[in-house]
Amino acid sequence: MQTACPSCDLVIEIPHLSAKQVAICPHCNTKLSASQANQDSMVVALSLSAIVMLLSSMFYPFLSFTSSGITQTITLPDAARILFNYDNDFLGLFIDTSIIGLPLLLLVLIIPLHLGLLKALPYQWGKRQLKTTFALEPWIMSEIFLIGVMVSMVKIMSMADIEFGLSFWAYSAFVICYVAATAKLNKHTLWQQLKEPEYIEQTQPNTRAIDQGLRACHVCGQLCTTEICSRCDSKTYSRNPFSVQKAAAWLLTSVACYIPANVYPIMYTTSLGDETPSTIIGGVMILWNSGSYPIAMIIFLASVVVPLAKALILSFLCFMVMRPANRQTKSYTRIYQLTEFIGKWSMIDVFVVAILVALVQLGNLMSVTPGIGTIFFTTMVICQMLAAHAFDPRLLWDNPDNLSTAKQETLA
């Protein structure tokens, strides 16, 4: 298989991989492809199991909260429904979509892909299904929601009795099956099933694609000499158009949301008629003072340190694009990959608020309502994810001549 590394643009010939073999870029150590024994059957089995567990988790009690003899029981859909009741439609829709809708859609899409139906589908249908499948994955946050549930339980265990319902265990099983299934997805193999890649003669291995006048399709990885990919019909570019400008714009928006996200309350707690606002830092201090040091550290890192660090790192990488590649470029690429991977984990606090709002609804005795800080925080994390996706790491390896070529292609 002939491709170019998505991180450094090095042209690579990947041989046929045996079971458990992994192809790694020799230039920047980016994982390019992997092969596993019985991969298709395992993905189908895990996906079907995940669907059954997800659907099962929708109809049974998820969590129960008991305080002063009063019990509040919620189901999984209640996490978003109660937010809609508070006119917080943005958060309600985001939670329903990211933890239920998108995971279910992705699993339904990948099952026929691994049953061999991809070859039987009309080309246009198969192409759209593959594009949709790989576009959905970064925005699914089921595993983060599950961690958020555990954190929220730690926060309120000292105030009331908590009971995990059958739905919670079903959803936990779903997350395990889902993560295992998606870990076995092989982008290059699926695209090969749809259409074999065209082999470009007289390429120079271990030389970057842009130096040979080649373009790697950002969707299917096909090497091209034309503006339209011959396999998936996507428009190709030597570099993503206006990558740095888009990343910088999303970063500035996220920074503008970062301050109010930490200043305004993310929730209000009412106890015996007395309403108390709670900010992110305030919640961390409460956990720390109560002795929940590991949970306090997780929240502090995920909600305060990581967003700020991501903004600084991506700003630094945008600046480094203007300088020629050097011995540190491989390290910069790894930092970018790590930044992109951990981006959505900052959503833990959003899911903690959603669970607390849904679960703690005992009238004036005790209740939790969402604050405006949650909106700013969610917007900040989404903007940072968009900034990371917009940034093209291949720019870090370019020299000034490459940058001029990419700019001319974009303007053309």
Side-chain angles (χ1 to χ4, degrees):
M1 181 174 64
Q2 190 182 53
T3 189
C5 175
S7 295
C8 69
D9 203 35
L10 186 73
V11 175
I12 299 170
E13 298 276 355
I14 302 178
H16 175 73
L17 300 178
S18 302
K20 299 183 180 180
Q21 284 188 324
V22 179
I24 296 176
C25 174
H27 198 194
C28 66
N29 295 334
T30 296
K31 181 180 177 181
L32 301 175
S33 185
S35 180
Q36 299 180 11
N38 303 318
Q39 180 171 315
D40 289 338
S41 59
M42 291 181 67
V43 171
V44 171
L46 289 167
S47 298
L48 288 173
S49 300
I51 290 175
V52 171
M53 291 296 101
L54 178 59
L55 294 178
S56 299
S57 68
M58 302 285 289
F59 306 106
Y60 299 98
F62 191 75
L63 293 170
S64 294
F65 173 87
T66 302
S67 178
S68 301
I70 302 176
T71 300
Q72 168 79 4
T73 300
I74 64 169
T75 60
L76 182 62
D78 287 336
R81 180 184 60 80
I82 294 179
L83 288 172
F84 284 118
N85 293 341
Y86 282 108
D87 296 324
N88 210 323
D89 297 346
F90 171 69
L91 283 182
L93 182 62
F94 172 78
I95 289 172
D96 264 348
T97 302
S98 62
I99 71 171
I100 299 175
L102 292 184
L104 183 60
L105 176 59
L106 179 65
L107 292 168
V108 169
L109 288 175
I110 65 177
I111 288 175
L113 296 180
H114 291 84
L115 284 174
L117 297 180
L118 190 58
K119 296 180 180 179
L121 287 174
Y123 170 73
Q124 293 296 330
W125 292 10
K127 178 184 68 176
R128 290 192 185 99
Q129 187 167 341
L130 279 177
K131 287 184 176 181
T132 303
T133 299
F134 294 119
L136 291 178
E137 192 174 359
W139 301 99
I140 295 174
M141 304 187 184
S142 303
E143 64 275 27
I144 303 172
F145 172 75
L146 189 60
I147 299 298
V149 172
M150 303 305 295
V151 172
S152 62
M153 294 304 96
V154 172
K155 280 192 171 186
I156 60 178
M157 275 181 177
S158 60
M159 300 185 296
D161 295 327
I162 303 297
E163 182 178 348
F164 295 101
L166 182 61
S167 176
F168 171 81
W169 301 113
Y171 194 82
S172 300
F174 150 71
V175 170
I176 294 173
C177 293
Y178 165 78
V179 171
T182 53
K184 297 181 183 301
L185 286 179
N186 191 314
K187 177 179 179 180
H188 292 294
T189 301
L190 290 173
W191 278 110
Q192 281 182 318
Q193 291 181 15
L194 180 66
K195 184 178 180 181
E196 287 292 331
E198 293 185 5
Y199 188 84
I200 300 178
E201 301 289 345
Q202 298 179 344
T203 59
Q204 301 176 23
N206 299 322
T207 304
R208 303 178 74 234
I210 195 170
D211 295 328
Q212 302 179 56
L214 301 175
R215 304 175 179 187
C217 177
H218 67 284
V219 175
C220 69
Q222 168 72 52
L223 277 183
C224 306
T225 57
T226 59
E227 294 184 356
I228 302 297
C229 176
S230 58
R231 180 158 61 176
C232 69
D233 298 329
S234 300
K235 193 166 183 179
T236 63
Y237 299 94
S238 294
R239 299 293 178 265
N240 296 339
F242 305 108
S243 170
V244 175
Q245 292 89 333
K246 291 177 182 177
W250 287 119
L251 273 178
L252 288 174
T253 306
S254 72
V255 171
C257 294
Y258 180 81
I259 297 175
N262 284 276
V263 171
Y264 287 110
I266 61 170
M267 64 182 181
Y268 295 90
T269 303
T270 300
S271 180
L272 299 177
D274 183 23
E275 186 178 76
T276 304
S278 177
T279 62
I280 294 176
I281 297 296
V284 170
M285 294 303 297
I286 291 174
L287 286 170
W288 186 270
N289 293 332
S290 65
S292 301
Y293 304 121
I295 301 299
M297 290 298 296
I298 290 173
I299 293 295
F300 180 72
L301 289 174
S303 302
V304 180
V305 176
V306 169
L308 184 59
K310 276 189 64 178
L312 294 175
I313 289 171
L314 288 173
S315 300
F316 172 75
L317 294 178
C318 288
F319 172 75
M320 293 306 297
V321 163
M322 307 309 298
R323 305 187 65 178
N326 54 51
R327 290 180 296 178
Q328 302 300 321
T329 303
K330 182 185 292 187
S331 299
Y332 298 155
T333 303
R334 291 177 179 173
I335 291 173
Y336 165 75
Q337 293 169 344
L338 178 63
T339 302
E340 186 180 32
F341 173 76
I342 66 175
K344 61 183 182 181
W345 284 92
S346 295
M347 283 290 184
I348 288 179
D349 238 348
V350 175
F351 293 129
V352 168
V353 171
I355 287 295
L356 293 178
V357 169
L359 190 61
V360 186
Q361 293 295 326
L362 304 179
N364 287 331
L365 177 64
M366 184 179 296
S367 63
V368 175
T369 56
I372 191 173
T374 312
I375 300 291
F376 283 108
F377 189 83
T378 306
T379 305
M380 176 201 68
V381 177
I382 292 175
C383 288
Q384 289 197 338
M385 291 176 64
L386 291 171
H389 292 162
F391 183 79
D392 192 337
R394 295 173 296 181
L395 293 169
L396 296 170
W397 296 87
D398 286 341
N399 57 44
D401 292 337
N402 295 146
L403 292 174
S404 300
T405 301
K407 184 177 180 179
Q408 291 173 3
E409 292 177 355
T410 301
L411 294 176

